[in-house]
Amino acid sequence: MASSVDSLFVKAQNTTLPKSLRPTSPPPDNVPKHKHVKDLKLRTRLNRQAAHAARSKALVEDAELLLTNEAGKMQVETELERTWRIGQDDIVQSASQEAAKGRRELKLDGGPYRSRYSRNGRHLAIVGNMGHVATFDWQTGTMHAELQLQETCRDITFLQDQSFFAVAQKKYVFIYDRDGVELHRLKAHIEPTRLEFLPYHWLLASVGNNGFLKYQDTSTGHIVAEHRTKLGACHTLAQNKHNAVLHLGHSNGVVTLWTPNIPHPAVQILAHYGPVVGLSVDPSSGGRYMATSGQDGVVKVWDCRNWKGTVREWTTRGGGAELEWSARGALSVAVGGSVNVYTKPSIQTPHAPKAPPPLYLTHPIPHRPLTSVRFCPFQDILTIGHNAGLSSILVPGVGEPNFDSMEADPFEDKKARREREVKGLLDKIQPDMITLDPDFVGALAPPTKLTTAVNDTHDIPFARLPRLERLRVQGKADETELVDDDNEDVADGDADKNAKPQSRMEKEKRKMRGKGKSVKRYLRKQRKNVIDPTAVAIRAKLEKQREEKRVAKAIENGSMEARKPSALDRFRRP
C-alpha cells in the first residue's frame, strides 16, 4: 500500500500542466507592456490584463485541437454541376437516419406562422397569426404547451431557456411558463410587433406599432429603457449577438441601431427606398456584417465597421424577403415562393454590378407568404414559416458542429439547466455595458482629439469646456464680454500699490460694491455669446470712464503729470 502511494506521489511530482494552462507561465510573445503609463500600479494591472488575454487566446487555439467535428458542405464532381440543382429528396437519402429527421412538413391552420428555437436548438416555439401557440421538443416530438389564444399574435421568443416564453399578442406582451400557464401581462409593451431576448443581460426587448422600443429586465421586472424611435410603426427587429445592439428596420427605409443607455440611435442609415422587410446580423463574423431587404426587392449586405456603403447587393423577385444568418455564415433569403441559401465568401466579397452571388441551395414552397426563416442551432436545419404551417429543410454545412456545454448544451438535464440558470443570473451584465464596441471594457481611454488649457492649469476635453471657452477656441467669442465687474477695483488697486492690505471682510464688501447699479444689471442680462452693438458701446463707455478715473488718481498721487491743454483739442472727437 505504501509503495503504491509513493508511486502516485512521484507521478504527481513529475506531472505538470501545459504552459498555456499555468497562471504563472511566461506570457506569449507580442504582449504590450504599457511603458508609457507613469502610474506603476495602473501599469502593473494593465500588464496583468494583457497577459491574461494573451493566455486566453492561446487556450482557445489549444482547444481548437479538440474540435474534431467539421461542417461539411455539398460538393460537385464536375464544373458543369451545381449544388442548387440537388433537391431535398436526394439530400435526405444521402444523410444519416438521425439527420433525416430534420426534414418535415407541419400543416397547420391559423397561419401565417413564425418560429423561434431555444439557444441549445432542442426546443421549438411556433405562433400563428390567428392565435395558435405551441412549444415542443422537435427531436423527440414531446409537446410542452399548446394554446388557442383566439386573438392576433405577431411574434414569439424563448426567455433564458425553454421554461418560459413570451408572446407578442394583439395589445400586450404575455409571458407563459413551460406548461402554458400565463404568468405575467406586460402592460408597458403596447401593441408589440417583434420581440427579442438578450440572454446575457436578461432583457426582453419589444417594438410596436406606436414606435417605442422598450427594454424590460426579466429578473427584476423593471423597465430599463424606453426609447421613442420617432419613425412610426416598426415590423423588423434583430439583435447583434456579439454586442447585444438591436437593429430596427422602419417603413421609410431607415435602419437604426439602439442601445439601452442612449436615447437616440447609435447609427442611422438609409438602407432602402421602401420599407425594410428583413434584417439579420451575421453571428459567425462577430457581428461584422448585416443583411437587409426592402420592399423594393433589393437585398444588401453591409459592413458594420464603417457603414460606407454596401458590400454587395442584388435584386430579388417577389418584393420583400425574410433574411436569416446561420452560425457558419450562410444567408437564407425567403422571397416569393422559394427559399435561397448563399454561403461565404461570395456574399461578403465586394462586387460592382448588382448581380446575385452564386446560389448554394434552393427550395420551392408553394404556400405564400413566407413570413419567417430560422436556422436551428447546432443542426443543418432551416425552418420556414408560411401561410400553411412550417417547413423544415436540410441545408448541409450551415450549422455549428461543436457546442460549448457551458453556454448551450443540447443534452442538458434538469439539474444542469438549473445550474446554468443560476450561473447566468449571477453573471448578468448590466444594460449600461451595451455598446457598439464591447472591447472597450478594461482598455485605456483614447486620447482626445482636441484639448485646451483653462487658466493654464490642466487640459480638459473640448466637449467638456464651457460654451464661452469653446467659442474662444473656435475664434467666435466676443472678447468684449469678458470685462469683469471687478476690473474697476483692479484698476484702482494698480494706482495705489503701497496701500494697506485689506482684510477679508473689506475685500468682500469692496467686491460687492456697485453690483446693484442699473447699468451693471443691464450688462449681466446681455452676457450672451452674441456681439450686441448696444452692449459693446456701453462697455466702451465704462472702460473710458475707468481710464479717466485712473488717470485722475495717478495725477493726484503725483505719479503722472497733468496734460496741458492744446489749441488742437477743439478738433478732437468726444
Side-chain angles (χ1 to χ4, degrees), residues 39 103 130 154 170 193 207 331 375 402 423 465-466 542:
D39 190 354
R103 176 72 178 100
M130 303 300 294
R154 303 183 183 93
K170 181 178 181 180
T193 56
V207 65
L331 178 62
F375 281 101
N402 305 288
K423 185 178 182 299
L465 285 176
L542 290 177

Side-chain angles (χ1 to χ4, degrees), residues 3 34 140 149 210 249 306 308 310 314 330 355 357 367 400-401 494 539 561:
S3 60
H34 301 93
T140 60
L149 301 177
N210 54 6
N306 49 26
K308 293 183 179 179
T310 58
W314 64 92
H367 310 289
E400 177 62 42
D494 293 341
R539 288 192 178 93
E561 294 182 359

Side-chain angles (χ1 to χ4, degrees), residues 562-569 572:
R563 183 177 177 277
K564 296 179 180 181
S566 173
L568 299 176
D569 289 345
R572 295 183 60 185

Side-chain angles (χ1 to χ4, degrees), residues 192-206:
T193 56
R194 292 293 179 264
L195 299 176
E196 281 291 340
F197 183 75
L198 308 180
Y200 297 104
H201 305 79
W202 289 57
L203 293 178
L204 177 63
S206 72

Side-chain angles (χ1 to χ4, degrees), residues 4 53 99 146-147 162 247 277 302 320 355 381 385 453 463 504 508 518 568:
S4 61
E146 187 174 9
L147 305 174
Q162 67 274 10
H247 297 232
V277 179
W302 304 79
I381 299 174
R504 182 177 179 182
E508 291 293 335
S518 60
L568 299 176

